[in-house]
Amino acid sequence: MLLLSDQTFQDISSNNYTCYPIVRFGSIGSIDEGDLFISTVKESMPYHPVLDWTVNFKDYNLKVTNIKSDIDFKTNKFKTSNVTLTLSNYEINGQRLSDNPLVSFGKEVNIFYKTQSNNYFSELTTVFNGVIKSMQHDDKIIRIILEDKTENLINKDVPVSNVGIGQHCFSKDYRNALIPITYGRVDKAPAIPWLDKDADGQSKI
């Protein structure tokens, strides 16, 4: 779900506003001055009010396809469509965009949107977090397909907990046995023995 700050909401709800995408090639969870920032507007802005780092947005004729998310409440499936980036691949200072190691298969890419009141990069709204799934390029154009990471983050195999091999393990047959999960009231719910000791040091199950 996209979370908008109060200021961002006021910006896009006004009669006159500017809003354009910024693509960051690099991990959103770290601060790295070697990351690549590309936008439809060539400009600079401070990264954070207390950090002495200016972010420079490069111009590669960026085009971003629509970002869509679907939730099916019947099947409990969540899906975010892949996003395609189209950029210029002309040689600049002896290097093409396709030569940059950040623009390669499996690398993390984040998409933000900037409105007129954003003074720092850290204030920008994140609209997409993914990795490079595939890319095609020639000496003029590079097309990058991004795969959303959200589905991988929210999917989790259960059950997770197990009895291990320590003091709670009833016998060797139950080593690392998974602990079942039951919701609500279930007759004859699946269970496994859990060995414990009371205050007197007596073993109990």
Side-chain angles (χ1 to χ4, degrees):
M1 181 176 66
L2 179 62
L3 299 176
L4 298 179
S5 66
D6 293 339
Q7 186 59 53
T8 301
F9 181 79
Q10 293 176 13
D11 288 344
I12 64 177
S13 62
S14 62
N15 293 329
N16 298 310
Y17 72 93
T18 59
C19 186
Y20 54 87
I22 298 169
V23 178
R24 177 181 185 175
F25 290 83
S27 175
I28 192 175
S30 62
I31 300 175
D32 192 340
E33 297 186 26
D35 287 352
L36 176 62
F37 298 84
I38 298 175
S39 180
T40 55
V41 177
K42 188 176 182 179
E43 64 171 329
S44 300
M45 70 183 305
Y47 184 87
H48 192 274
V50 297
L51 296 178
D52 185 20
W53 178 26
T54 300
V55 180
N56 299 308
F57 305 145
K58 298 184 181 299
D59 179 17
Y60 284 94
N61 295 322
L62 171 67
K63 294 181 181 178
V64 183
T65 58
N66 293 333
I67 302 173
K68 298 179 181 179
S69 295
D70 297 314
I71 301 177
D72 191 329
F73 291 102
K74 291 184 178 180
T75 61
N76 295 322
K77 290 184 177 180
F78 173 83
K79 181 180 180 182
T80 298
S81 62
N82 291 339
V83 175
T84 300
L85 307 178
T86 303
L87 306 111
S88 296
N89 198 33
Y90 289 102
E91 186 175 322
I92 301 176
N93 297 327
Q95 186 180 44
R96 300 184 189 276
L97 183 60
S98 57
D99 297 328
N100 193 310
L102 290 173
V103 187
S104 57
F105 178 78
K107 293 295 185 179
E108 184 171 351
V109 178
N110 297 278
I111 302 177
F112 309 84
Y113 269 91
K114 180 182 182 299
T115 57
Q116 63 267 25
S117 67
N118 294 137
N119 297 314
Y120 302 97
F121 184 86
S122 57
E123 299 175 344
L124 303 186
T125 300
T126 306
V127 296
F128 186 87
N129 172 235
V131 296
I132 298 178
K133 180 181 180 181
S134 64
M135 55 184 291
Q136 296 178 335
H137 67 85
D138 54 27
D139 59 348
K140 296 180 181 178
I141 298 293
I142 179 171
R143 290 183 176 86
I144 301 172
I145 297 179
L146 306 178
E147 185 175 51
D148 179 58
K149 292 176 62 177
T150 306
E151 188 171 357
N152 294 332
L153 294 175
I154 64 176
N155 285 342
K156 192 174 186 66
D157 293 331
V158 293
V160 176
S161 300
N162 64 65
V163 296
I165 60 174
Q167 60 180 350
H168 300 297
C169 186
F170 178 71
S171 70
K172 64 179 182 179
D173 295 331
Y174 289 95
R175 288 179 178 176
N176 292 317
L178 293 172
I179 301 175
I181 299 174
T182 301
Y183 294 94
R185 182 175 179 177
V186 180
D187 291 334
K188 298 180 180 179
I192 57 175
W194 177 272
L195 192 62
D196 206 351
K197 292 183 178 180
D198 58 22
D200 298 328
Q202 298 295 320
S203 296
K204 63 179 182 179
I205 299 177

